[in-house]
Amino acid sequence: MRLAKKTSNLFRFRADQAGGLDVGRFDQVLSVDPVGRTAQVQGMTTYENLVAATLPHGLMPLVVPQLKTITIGGAVAGLGIESSSFRNGLPHESVRELEILTGDGEVVVAKPDDDLFRAFPNSYGTLGYALRLEIELEPVRQYVRLRHVPFGSFEECAAVIEEVCEDGSADFVDGTVFSRGEMYLTLGHYVDIAPYTSDYTGNDIYYRSIQKRRTDHLTIHDYLWRWDTDWFWCSRAFGAQNPVVRRLWPKRYLRSDVYRKLVAQHRRLRPRTDVEPVIQDVEIPVAGLADFLDFFDREIGISPVWLCPVRLRDTTGWPLYPMNADTLYVNVGFWSEVPVRPGEKMGDRNRLIEREVARLGGHKSLYSDSYYTEDEFWRHYNGSHYRSVKARYDQTNRLPDLYAKCVRGR
């Protein structure tokens, strides 16, 4: 059994399959409690619609992943992250209650002390599907003031990330690496008054402004979706950053979900064997960040690269994506392709990244292609715990196994 979805933010492309479990109408914000700062939300609700329902109350989810069509159920069963994650952790850590349709066909209401609740993050629909979630919200202010702070070395950038996240002087923190000698840490601060606001939903491109401006101001709404218009920087692959094309491209189609559909169509119609997709997000302990960026620049050579610090809120932990609650990690995101070099085979560069992430004590998200052996995979993602929960809630294996679903070619 699989989930039938009109859109996806996964990059594990598989052949189209007919049918699927249609939960598309579980896509509503059921209620917002502005006093208790909570919301009741159905699992297929996109963050675009969730934010539209909470901002009028002066509230937002504690972590709003950067792409509009990411669903809250997807961000919890997978992993989401954004620039508030250094203080608020990951999206599943602000969930108070989950209503899950399990592989056994039961609807289970899971709470933080339950094994299914704890194992649900990073299970990617192999233990069940989220039908309803109760989530925490936090207050916002009308504007966000940005400071784009330049750095000339990986070591200096990593040191300041650690310092800023420790002292709590910013409300939002992320970074952009353009090259070995050019990178910026973007520090966001809530403000009630802005001398101006920038608009990056039309001709102007947000990531280009990072190199040109030292300060900027956005409404909180536009700040949350600053990356979506150009899918970070990936819209350039479709010519959407060309000024002439930009003026002709309908504004309503400057969206990440449109680009994602174009990628899927292109891969179906024109599969290539001379380039290897390298589309990954990895969490690296901040102490190893400079080493990882140096490795990545030498061996992979993709730019730009996104940086987003994260520290878990919950000290109990999440068994299928084990991170140390006492450690500050930095998510490194890179989404492009590299030429297959002589003597290489498809996947070699991704395998190289997987080994380096493991060497540095990091973790890799599973929304894209993975190349682990089965033994490696279960060592990284707690196979014994997964199998015990799977046996309890999906006894007849109606849902796929996590390794079979997430590892390329399996």
Side-chain angles (χ1 to χ4, degrees):
M1 188 172 69
R2 66 178 189 86
L3 194 64
K5 294 183 69 174
K6 294 180 180 179
T7 63
S8 176
N9 286 283
L10 298 178
F11 276 79
R12 290 185 264 104
F13 291 96
R14 301 291 187 267
D16 288 340
Q17 296 177 332
L21 184 66
D22 184 2
V23 294
R25 288 187 290 176
F26 286 80
D27 63 350
Q28 301 297 306
V29 179
L30 300 174
S31 63
V32 176
D33 178 358
V35 177
R37 295 178 182 172
T38 62
Q40 298 284 341
V41 189
Q42 291 181 313
M44 293 295 289
T45 304
T46 65
Y47 274 93
E48 180 177 26
N49 291 338
L50 177 54
V51 165
T54 62
L55 281 187
H57 299 281
L59 300 168
M60 76 173 194
L62 272 63
V63 180
V64 178
Q66 51 282 95
L67 304 181
K68 291 178 176 179
T69 56
I70 292 175
T71 63
I72 186 166
V76 172
L79 295 172
I81 195 169
E82 237 296 335
S83 56
S84 62
S85 287
F86 77 99
R87 57 185 174 84
N88 288 339
L90 299 170
H92 55 264
E93 296 190 278
S94 53
V95 176
R96 293 185 172 184
E97 184 177 276
L98 274 169
E99 192 168 315
I100 300 169
L101 174 63
T102 71
D104 286 342
E106 303 294 329
V107 176
V108 175
V109 177
K111 296 181 181 293
D113 291 338
D114 299 333
D115 57 354
L116 182 59
F117 185 97
R118 288 283 156 186
F120 198 75
N122 208 46
S123 65
Y124 283 92
T126 67
L127 297 178
Y129 301 119
L131 302 181
R132 179 188 59 83
L133 308 91
E134 179 182 340
I135 63 168
E136 298 176 56
L137 305 173
E138 71 174 14
V140 302
R141 292 159 76 178
Q142 191 169 357
Y143 304 104
V144 180
R145 179 180 184 270
L146 304 181
R147 291 176 55 216
H148 303 306
V149 183
F151 296 95
S153 75
F154 299 143
E155 292 78 9
E156 184 183 15
C157 184
V160 174
I161 287 175
E162 188 168 18
E163 178 184 341
V164 169
C165 292
E166 187 65 33
D167 67 24
S169 58
D171 295 303
F172 303 99
V173 181
D174 67 345
T176 309
V177 178
F178 290 93
S179 69
R180 177 177 289 272
E182 183 188 10
M183 62 209 74
Y184 301 84
L185 197 60
T186 298
L187 308 178
H189 299 81
Y190 278 126
V191 292
D192 294 317
I193 300 173
Y196 62 88
T197 55
S198 296
D199 182 355
Y200 297 109
T201 62
N203 290 333
D204 293 334
I205 298 169
Y206 172 70
Y207 85 99
R208 291 297 185 192
S209 74
I210 295 172
Q211 296 173 291
K212 298 174 182 177
R213 313 184 71 144
R214 289 295 170 267
T215 61
D216 206 350
H217 293 80
L218 297 173
T219 66
I220 180 60
H221 176 274
D222 287 353
Y223 176 77
L224 293 177
W225 304 127
R226 68 200 182 283
W227 292 117
D228 188 83
T229 300
D230 285 284
W231 207 18
F232 284 82
W233 32 78
C234 297
S235 66
R236 63 187 178 182
F238 311 102
Q241 295 183 23
N242 180 295
V244 176
V245 175
R246 190 82 166 190
R247 286 193 294 270
L248 297 175
W249 197 302
K251 189 174 179 179
R252 67 184 181 277
Y253 295 137
L254 289 170
R255 291 173 55 98
S256 60
D257 54 334
V258 172
Y259 307 134
R260 169 58 174 71
K261 291 175 183 176
L262 291 175
V263 169
Q265 184 178 31
H266 184 268
R267 287 200 179 187
R268 284 195 298 269
L269 297 177
R270 297 186 61 187
R272 296 181 63 180
T273 58
D274 60 326
V275 294
E276 177 181 343
V278 180
I279 300 171
Q280 306 289 351
D281 279 74
V282 298
E283 271 75 48
I284 304 295
V286 69
L289 177 62
D291 284 349
F292 181 81
L293 293 175
D294 177 72
F295 150 83
F296 191 84
D297 182 70
R298 284 185 288 104
E299 299 293 340
I300 311 300
I302 290 172
S303 65
V305 168
W306 187 54
L307 306 178
C308 186
V310 55
R311 190 193 304 273
L312 295 184
R313 294 175 69 208
D314 188 303
T315 58
T316 303
W318 306 93
L320 301 194
Y321 203 75
M323 295 169 64
N324 188 338
D326 296 326
T327 299
L328 176 68
Y329 295 81
V330 179
N331 175 280
V332 185
F334 35 92
W335 317 289
S336 190
E337 57 191 21
V338 297
V340 176
R341 298 177 295 198
E344 285 186 334
K345 57 183 180 295
M346 189 68 69
D348 278 358
R349 221 76 72 87
N350 279 280
R351 292 185 185 93
L352 191 63
I353 293 168
E354 289 175 352
R355 289 194 293 269
E356 184 67 7
V357 170
R359 186 185 74 82
L360 293 170
H363 301 279
K364 170 182 160 175
S365 297
L366 297 174
Y367 71 88
S368 187
D369 290 332
S370 295
Y371 293 84
Y372 298 111
T373 67
E374 190 164 3
D375 286 344
E376 288 173 333
F377 182 86
W378 290 124
R379 283 201 305 272
H380 293 310
Y381 302 104
N382 203 342
S384 60
H385 189 91
Y386 173 80
R387 285 187 284 268
S388 69
V389 179
K390 179 82 164 173
R392 181 174 177 185
Y393 293 100
D394 186 18
Q395 297 179 34
T396 58
N397 291 312
R398 281 181 178 159
L399 301 174
D401 171 81
L402 185 63
Y403 174 74
K405 183 171 185 178
C406 293
V407 176
R408 182 180 175 86
R410 300 287 178 174

